[in-house]
């Protein structure tokens, strides 16, 4: 396996650091130096972040795609505004989708959901609308947590049911008649076709994955009728090791140390970002030791937030290829304010390969 460290846009290379070739010995020495302490690792990460700002990038991460717009896509056909989507066709506004067909406004959908609209969480579904967590079901509207059901409207948490409205069983004729009455009233109120109201969510917007992909502050979230959690779970001010006292190197950390070193598994740490307390588990410590990585100084939520910030946003801008003389235009997740040099696929391949 090629050995590369903090490099980008390289092909068929080995022993490179910050895109510069080095000998095998130099590579190992530099790698050990970077990982020798938390400060050195953070310094290298910041240098690489600045280094990437001047890099050439392809307008989108797409492989085997035709007539698509979006990012992180594989084997898609006629998909517009798709993100983290694969093996899908004829879709609009989909994310985290696999084998999704003829669907619109979908998230977390897998195993051939078809003719679905406005659904969050679907697996092997057909003709499902405005619903949440629907599995192997068909002809479903305004439902939540549905398993193996057919022709149901406005119910929650049922399995293997048919012709139900508000969790009550009806005959087929009664179901069709009552459903039309309900839809008619919803249309008069102007709410039919809307997704389930966000006010009904048991979670605050800032507690969900939505905050990772589409960050909003409290004011922005509440303007869109989302709930907000003022105080997220966790403890503060209980640390037994202060922020600046967390060991710099993994060699200074041990379990049940006989020599007076820090027994990190018995300590309570404090996040350098959010100031929330966190602990190191035994399995986690074993991983850091095996990989020769210094202990983190941030809790797992802030580390997750940092990783997510390195991904492109789920938003597109219309731009032109920045290669001189090229007039290709495209939809890209790289905003015009960013410093990367954005190329169309043809120009990128000519430059990098």
């Amino acid at each position: 396996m090629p050995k590369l460290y903090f490099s980008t846009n390289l092909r068929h290379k080995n022993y490179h650091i910050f895109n510069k070739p080095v000998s095998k010995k130099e590579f190992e020495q530099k790698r050990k130096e970077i990982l020798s302490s938390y400060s050195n690792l953070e310094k290298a990460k910041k240098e690489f972040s600045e280094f990437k700002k001047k890099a050439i990038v392809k307008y989108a991460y797409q492989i085997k795609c035709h007539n698509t717009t979006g990012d992180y896509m594989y084997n898609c056909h006629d998909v517009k505004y798709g993100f983290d989507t694969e093996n899908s066709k004829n879709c609009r506004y989909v994310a985290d989708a696999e084998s999704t067909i003829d669907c619109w406004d979908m998230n977390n959908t897998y195993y051939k959901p078809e003719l679905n609209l406005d659904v969050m969480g679907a697996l092997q579904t057909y003709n499902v609308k405005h619903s949440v967590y629907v599995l192997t079901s068909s002809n479903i509207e305004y439902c939540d947590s549905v398993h193996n059901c057919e022709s149901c409207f406005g119910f929650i948490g049922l399995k293997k049911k048919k012709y139900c409205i508000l969790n009550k069983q009806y005959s087929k004729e009664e179901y069709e008649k009552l459903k039309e009455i309900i839809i008619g009233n919803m249309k008069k109120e102007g709410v039919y076709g809307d997704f389930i109201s966000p006010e009904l969510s048991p979670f605050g917007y800032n507690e969900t994955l939505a905050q990772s992909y589409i960050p909003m502050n409290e004011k922005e979230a509440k303007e869109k009728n989302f709930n907000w959690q003022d105080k997220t779970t966790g403890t503060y001010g209980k640390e037994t090791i202060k922020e600046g006292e967390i060991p710099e190197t993994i060699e200074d950390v041990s379990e049940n140390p006989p020599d007076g070193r820090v027994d990190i598994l018995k300590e309570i740490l404090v996040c350098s970002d959010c100031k929330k307390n966190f602990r190191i588990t035994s399995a986690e410590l074993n991983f850091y030791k095996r990989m020769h990585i210094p202990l983190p100084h941030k809790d797992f939520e802030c580390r997750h937030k940092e990783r997510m910030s390195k991904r492109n946003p789920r938003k597109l801008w219309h731009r032109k290829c920045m290669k001189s003389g090229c007039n290709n235009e495209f939809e890209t997740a790289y905003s015009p304010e960013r410093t990367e040099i954005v190329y169309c696929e043809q120009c990128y391949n000519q430059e990098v390969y």
Side-chain angles (χ1 to χ4, degrees):
M1 180 180 293
K3 293 190 176 182
L4 306 169
Y5 237 56
F6 295 103
S7 297
T8 182
N9 282 334
L10 296 183
R11 301 295 185 273
H12 311 297
K13 301 293 184 180
N14 202 4
Y15 298 116
H16 278 62
I17 298 179
F18 287 100
N19 280 35
K20 294 182 179 180
V22 294
S23 67
K24 180 179 179 180
K25 182 179 180 180
E26 290 173 323
F27 180 88
E28 294 299 333
Q29 288 177 341
K30 185 64 176 178
R31 185 183 68 84
K32 289 180 180 179
E33 178 186 336
I34 291 174
L35 296 179
S36 64
S37 70
Y38 180 80
S39 298
N40 286 351
L41 180 57
E42 288 300 300
K43 179 182 177 182
K45 287 163 63 176
K46 289 179 181 178
E47 289 178 4
F48 186 56
S49 179
E50 292 299 316
F51 181 70
K52 288 197 302 180
K53 289 180 180 180
K54 302 176 183 178
I56 296 172
V57 295
K58 189 169 71 171
Y59 76 101
Y61 293 94
Q62 295 183 7
I63 300 175
K64 296 175 66 176
C65 293
H66 174 72
N67 193 29
T68 62
T69 62
D71 212 5
Y72 307 113
M73 303 176 70
Y74 172 78
N75 196 31
C76 292
H77 181 85
D78 285 331
V79 175
K80 303 298 183 183
Y81 230 91
F83 297 92
D84 297 281
T85 297
E86 61 182 50
N87 303 318
S88 300
K89 62 180 180 180
N90 301 327
C91 295
R92 300 292 184 272
Y93 306 104
V94 293
D96 302 306
E98 195 272 330
S99 299
T100 303
I101 304 170
D102 297 327
C103 293
W104 195 298
D105 284 327
M106 304 282 287
N107 187 275
N108 286 101
T109 64
Y110 309 99
Y111 301 113
K112 296 184 178 180
E114 187 172 354
L115 286 177
N116 290 189
L117 170 65
D118 213 13
V119 178
M120 167 64 194
L123 187 150
Q124 287 185 322
T125 53
Y126 180 83
N127 193 30
V128 175
K129 303 174 185 176
H130 325 301
S131 298
V132 180
Y133 303 128
V134 182
L135 309 181
T136 57
S137 301
S138 61
N139 302 318
I140 303 294
E141 287 193 65
Y142 288 102
C143 293
D144 187 352
S145 302
V146 178
H147 300 253
N148 299 304
C149 293
E150 180 183 348
S151 300
C152 294
F153 191 101
F155 73 95
I156 180 172
L158 294 181
K159 299 180 180 180
K160 299 180 180 179
K161 295 294 182 179
K162 192 173 183 180
Y163 304 128
C164 290
I165 295 178
L166 298 178
N167 286 38
K168 184 177 179 180
Q169 183 69 60
Y170 292 91
S171 67
K172 179 180 179 180
E173 292 74 19
E174 291 173 329
Y175 170 82
E176 295 293 348
K177 184 177 180 180
L178 183 56
K179 175 185 170 183
E180 289 303 314
I181 293 174
I182 294 174
I183 291 176
N185 289 334
M186 292 179 70
K187 287 181 177 179
K188 289 179 182 179
E189 296 176 4
V191 296
Y192 183 70
D194 292 345
F195 191 64
I196 299 171
S197 174
E199 296 171 338
L200 299 177
S201 172
F203 303 103
Y205 187 88
N206 53 324
E207 295 180 292
T208 70
L209 275 177
Q211 181 73 322
S212 297
Y213 289 105
I214 308 175
M216 285 193 281
N217 58 38
E218 181 178 357
K219 180 181 178 182
E220 292 170 333
K222 288 185 174 180
E223 285 176 350
K224 297 180 182 295
N225 295 322
F226 290 109
N227 297 324
W228 189 266
Q229 179 58 258
D230 292 324
K231 190 173 183 179
T232 56
T233 57
T235 62
Y236 297 84
K238 304 294 184 180
E239 58 270 12
T240 57
I241 294 183
K242 295 181 180 180
E243 184 178 331
E245 297 176 354
I246 299 176
E248 273 280 304
T249 70
I250 195 64
E251 286 75 22
D252 292 331
V253 182
S254 181
E255 299 177 69
N256 302 315
D259 53 4
R261 290 182 296 175
V262 174
D263 186 353
I264 202 66
L265 299 184
K266 295 181 180 179
E267 304 291 348
I268 302 174
L269 285 63
V270 57
C271 175
S272 60
D273 276 4
C274 70
K275 310 307 177 185
K276 185 185 295 185
N277 295 136
F278 69 101
R279 304 191 73 162
I280 301 295
T281 67
S282 179
E284 191 178 3
L285 179 59
N286 289 336
F287 172 79
Y288 295 140
K289 286 182 175 181
R290 188 171 70 252
M291 303 303 293
H292 304 287
I293 299 174
L295 290 179
H297 289 205
K298 300 177 183 179
D299 73 327
F300 71 93
E301 290 179 343
C302 286
R303 280 178 270 157
H304 171 73
K305 183 178 179 180
E306 182 180 1
R307 289 192 296 270
M308 291 298 295
S309 70
K310 301 180 187 301
R311 289 173 55 96
N312 288 338
R314 288 182 170 178
K315 186 176 180 180
L316 298 177
W317 288 265
H318 187 82
R319 296 187 62 179
K320 181 181 177 181
C321 179
M322 297 176 69
K323 179 68 177 290
S324 178
C326 181
N327 294 317
N328 285 338
E329 298 183 8
F330 41 70
E331 302 292 320
T332 178
Y334 291 95
S335 68
E337 294 78 21
R338 291 177 61 167
T339 58
E340 294 94 340
I341 303 169
V342 185
Y343 280 7
C344 67
E345 183 170 11
Q346 180 180 354
C347 291
Y348 178 83
N349 290 341
Q350 290 175 349
E351 185 76 23
V352 174
Y353 286 92

